[in-house]
Amino acid sequence: MILECDIGNTRCKWRVVDGDQVVERGSFALADGFENLVLTSQPKRVRVASVVEGDNLAGFTRFCAERGFSPELAHSTAESAGVVSAYNEAAKLGVDRWLGAVAGYKRIQGAVLVIDAGTALKADLVSAAGQHLGGYIAPGIALMESSLLAGTDKVRFDRQDYTAGVAFGCATADAVNAGMLAAQVGAVAVAIEEAKRRIPEGFAILLTGGDSVSIYKALGEAHEIEIVPELVLDGLQWLLP
Ligand SMILES: Nc1ncnc2c1ncn2[C@@H]1O[C@H](COP(=O)(O)OP(=O)(O)O)[C@@H](O)[C@H]1O
Ligand SMILES: CC(C)(COP(=O)(O)O)[C@@H](O)C(=O)NCCC(=O)O
Ligand SMILES: [K+]
C-alpha cells in the first residue's frame, strides 16, 4: 500500500492505494495541520507532490518521522513518461503542473489541455507527441478575493451572501463573486482558444483542483470537459513508479 499526498498552497489531498484500488482518502486545509491526516491502513511507501517547502512542510516532515515513513518527493524534470517539458529550466515548473500534464497525457494518450483550479489557476497544454507547450498561472478565486480585500477600502461583504454564477451582481457580494468566477472562466476560455491555435487538430480538456466544479458549471456546455479530481495524485505513479 502506498500513501500519496498532493500538498498545494491551500490544501493537502491524500489517498492510500493498493495496486489500482483506493483504500482510503481525505483532504484538509494546510493551516489545520497534518494531525488531520488520520490513517487507518498501514502504507509501506509515501509518494509526495508538494508545491510548498520550508516551514510549510515541517508538519508533513514530522508526520512522516513519527511513523517511520521515508517520503519520496516528485520533481519536475525535462522528460517523464513520454512528456517533454516546455520549460528551459524544467525544475522550475510547479510539480503539480508537471504531474497533471503527465497524468493527463497518459490518461488521454493524445493531446490534452489540463486546467487546475486551485490556489492558483493553471493551464498546461501537451501535444499528441508528448511535447508540453507551456501554460498559464493566474490567481485562483480565493487569491482574487484576498487581493480585492487587501487593495480596497470598500469592497466588503458577507462571504455567505451571494448567488453562484456569472450573472451581473446588484450588490457587492454578488458583483465580486460573479466577477471572480468570470475571470476564472474567461482565462479558461482563452486557454482553450490558445490551445486550438497551437493544436488545431484537437485535444481533450481535463479539469482538476478545488474550484473545478464551480468553473465547470459556469463554463456552460460549449466545451467538452472531463473533471478528474485526483489528476495530480494520478501522476505520481509515473514520476515515482
Ligand atoms: N473543502 C474545501 N475547503 C477549502 N477550500 C475548498 C474546499 N473545497 C473547494 N475549495 C476551493 O478549492 C481551492 C483550493 O483548491 P486546491 O486544488 O485544493 O488548491 P491547492 O492545491 O492550491 O491547495 C480553495 O481556494 C477553495 O476555493
Ligand atoms: C503555480 C503554483 C503556485 C500553483 O500552486 P497551487 O495552486 O497548486 O497551490 C505552483 O505550480 C508553483 O509553485 N509553480 C512554480 C512556478 C511555475 O510553475 O512556473
Ligand atoms: K495543487
Side-chain angles (χ1 to χ4, degrees):
M1 278 189 286
I2 307 178
L3 170 62
E4 299 181 322
C5 299
D6 167 13
I7 307 176
N9 282 286
T10 305
R11 300 167 54 72
C12 172
K13 285 71 64 183
W14 64 273
R15 69 185 179 191
V16 175
V17 293
D18 186 1
D20 53 13
Q21 297 284 94
V22 177
V23 177
E24 53 180 336
R25 53 162 61 84
S27 67
F28 56 90
L30 272 198
D32 292 342
F34 275 83
E35 50 273 30
N36 289 283
L37 206 171
V38 180
L39 288 173
T40 56
S41 60
Q42 292 180 314
K44 294 275 173 290
R45 286 177 65 191
V46 182
R47 324 194 249 228
V48 188
S50 178
V51 292
V52 308
E53 55 189 16
D55 289 351
N56 292 325
L57 261 190
F60 176 70
T61 308
R62 204 175 318 116
F63 168 89
C64 290
E66 283 166 6
R67 287 161 186 79
F69 292 148
S70 310
E72 302 160 46
L73 257 71
H75 295 287
S76 299
T77 53
E79 192 273 337
S80 289
V83 183
V84 175
S85 179
Y87 271 32
N88 286 329
E89 293 184 83
K92 298 248 167 108
L93 181 76
V95 73
D96 56 345
R97 297 177 54 198
W98 185 233
L99 285 158
V102 168
Y105 182 68
K106 283 289 186 184
R107 185 182 183 93
I108 300 301
Q109 306 210 318
V112 62
L113 175 66
V114 175
I115 309 287
D116 183 345
T119 310
L121 177 71
K122 290 83 72 187
D124 281 283
L125 183 63
V126 180
S127 77
Q131 178 62 55
H132 174 229
L133 298 170
Y136 291 157
I137 303 171
I141 290 180
L143 277 181
M144 284 194 166
E145 180 176 325
S146 55
S147 69
L148 272 174
L149 291 172
T152 65
D153 280 344
K154 294 203 171 178
V155 179
R156 295 291 178 272
F157 52 92
D158 186 338
R159 250 203 142 269
Q160 261 60 51
D161 190 21
Y162 70 93
T163 323
V166 294
F168 291 135
C170 298
T172 307
D174 285 337
V176 168
N177 281 284
M180 295 188 306
L181 188 57
Q184 303 291 306
V185 171
V188 172
V190 173
I192 293 170
E193 287 311 308
E194 180 63 10
K196 278 186 190 157
R197 195 181 69 73
R198 297 298 299 273
I199 309 182
E201 310 78 57
F203 48 87
I205 308 173
L206 302 181
L207 181 55
T208 193
D211 286 319
S212 49
V213 172
S214 34
I215 291 175
Y216 180 85
K217 284 185 185 153
L219 258 172
E221 277 152 28
H223 310 285
E224 200 179 309
I225 297 180
E226 185 188 355
I227 297 187
V228 187
E230 296 182 343
L231 190 68
V232 172
L233 291 174
D234 292 344
L236 286 169
Q237 63 187 300
W238 305 109
L239 265 65
L240 300 168

